Amino acid sequence: MKGHVQDRWWRPKTDGNGKPVLNAKGHVVREKTERFGKGDRYKVRYFDAEGNERSKSFPDKELTRARAFLTKMQHDVLTGEYIAPESGDEKFREYTAQWQKGQSADAGTRQTVNSHLKTGIFPFLGDKPLKLVEKTDTIRDWLDWLERPKKEGGRGLMASYRAILFDTVSAILQAAADDKKIRSNPCRAKSIKRPKPAQRKVIPWPESRVHAVQLALPPEYTVVVPLGAGLGLRQMEIFGFSPDDIDRDEMIVNVQRQIRWIGGVPVFSPPKGGKTRVVPLGAGVLDGIDGHLAMYEPVPLTLPWLEPGGRPETVRLLISRVLRRSRQYRNKPVWHIIKGSNFTKTEWKSAFSAAGLDYVDRRDGMHAMRHFYASSLLAQGVSIKEVAEYLGHHDPGYTLRIYTHLVPSSHKRARAAADKVFAPRRAATESVTAQRRPEGA
């Protein structure tokens, strides 16, 4: 491949006819150029993958390094590993804007990613060039900043959230590597460790706590408990639930929507991950739903589908906001629509106080009802695969990692199966003794 190293301080001497001047040994005589002693001495000229000539200069006494650079550029072009030097000058923020064009079209997902970028990524990495973000030292400094307490100049974020941010940055830098903006993704380096969230075992509520919270809720909201603890619905699936989702003949519920808030605008959307599901409906849960219907009429609500401006969809909601006083959201009246964070603050936590219970942390949020539901199924011998389907998990392995400590031990059943084939001596002796025992003994 074409390319050479030019010495800009010396050049071949020529005669009046432009022919090289040779010395007594037949070697070309060299003479100083006008640039002698000024600036970099060596200039490497090479051609990139598109056939464009490029160059890079090196100072005096670095001929070896200049030749090594030329060899590397020629090798990278031949193997397809060539990266233009100016590619790494692009700011991380600017490249991320291009990366986002190829990501999920779901408005909720875009909103979540933008929140992550704004919260913990752009403030530290946004204005740095890609060639600097590519360095493992930069990623280490960023991870330290995320973990360091706010009083020490950091963000003080939990490991679980830091892991999410790490995965986002890794995805962006992997795309940059694929686009030949950088050579490699530093997040995949062996010296970089992904934040590891602390694995806390799920401790299901006792049944008494479930009933205590239900009794303490306002009457119009007590039905959220059988929907959560009896069907395993997520919070915004509960508030997007319609009595029309019930198949009374088959005794099942079709979980097919939730309410999401996109930039302050409520929309209907599929459940988390776009995964609709079918959940068996217990007779007692149906009684709870019917009891609510006997007292409160379903409220027809029309919202856009998936994103603001989407096609309108009308659904008869089982649960609607009860306006005890005038409420607004961002200076606009909000009718019938429940926002999860508002419900947790005004109704859910208040129920704990009314029931004389301590609201410890997020583990006492409405998601605790899903944990109770899962533990109840496992206690009845429902398989992990089925529990995963009813909860709407994509991977039964994920469900197992969360609830493995709640799976009933099969030791007793295994012993019984073995004893059926190989009867223990004591059991056999007792059986013979019972047969010989005289009546009335």
Side-chain angles (χ1 to χ4, degrees), residues 106 234-241 245 255-261 266-277 303-306 315 317:
D106 178 67
R234 299 180 177 93
Q235 185 187 53
M236 297 314 292
E237 292 171 349
I238 290 174
F239 298 135
F241 181 84
D245 298 332
V255 184
Q256 52 193 343
R257 89 184 62 77
Q258 64 173 328
I259 295 177
R260 299 178 75 178
W261 290 76
V267 302
F268 286 131
S269 74
K272 184 177 180 180
K275 187 175 177 60
T276 59
R277 61 191 189 275
L303 293 178
W305 182 253
L306 279 180
V315 176
L317 294 184

Side-chain angles (χ1 to χ4, degrees), residues 156-169:
L157 300 176
M158 295 177 60
S160 56
Y161 191 58
R162 298 200 309 272
I164 294 173
L165 298 179
F166 180 88
D167 291 342
T168 301
V169 169

Side-chain angles (χ1 to χ4, degrees), residues 79-84 87-88 95 174-183:
T79 59
E81 298 177 3
Y82 176 78
I83 296 177
S87 296
Y95 179 76
Q174 185 57 49
D178 294 341
D179 291 341
K180 303 299 183 184
K181 299 288 184 178
I182 57 177
R183 290 194 173 277

Side-chain angles (χ1 to χ4, degrees), residues 338-368:
I338 296 177
K339 196 169 189 293
S341 57
N342 290 347
F343 183 86
T344 299
K345 181 179 180 180
T346 61
E347 309 294 350
W348 189 253
K349 290 185 178 180
S350 297
F352 276 73
S353 298
L357 301 172
D358 291 329
Y359 187 93
V360 180
D361 54 26
R362 293 176 60 186
R363 286 174 291 181
D364 279 328
M366 290 180 66
H367 207 77

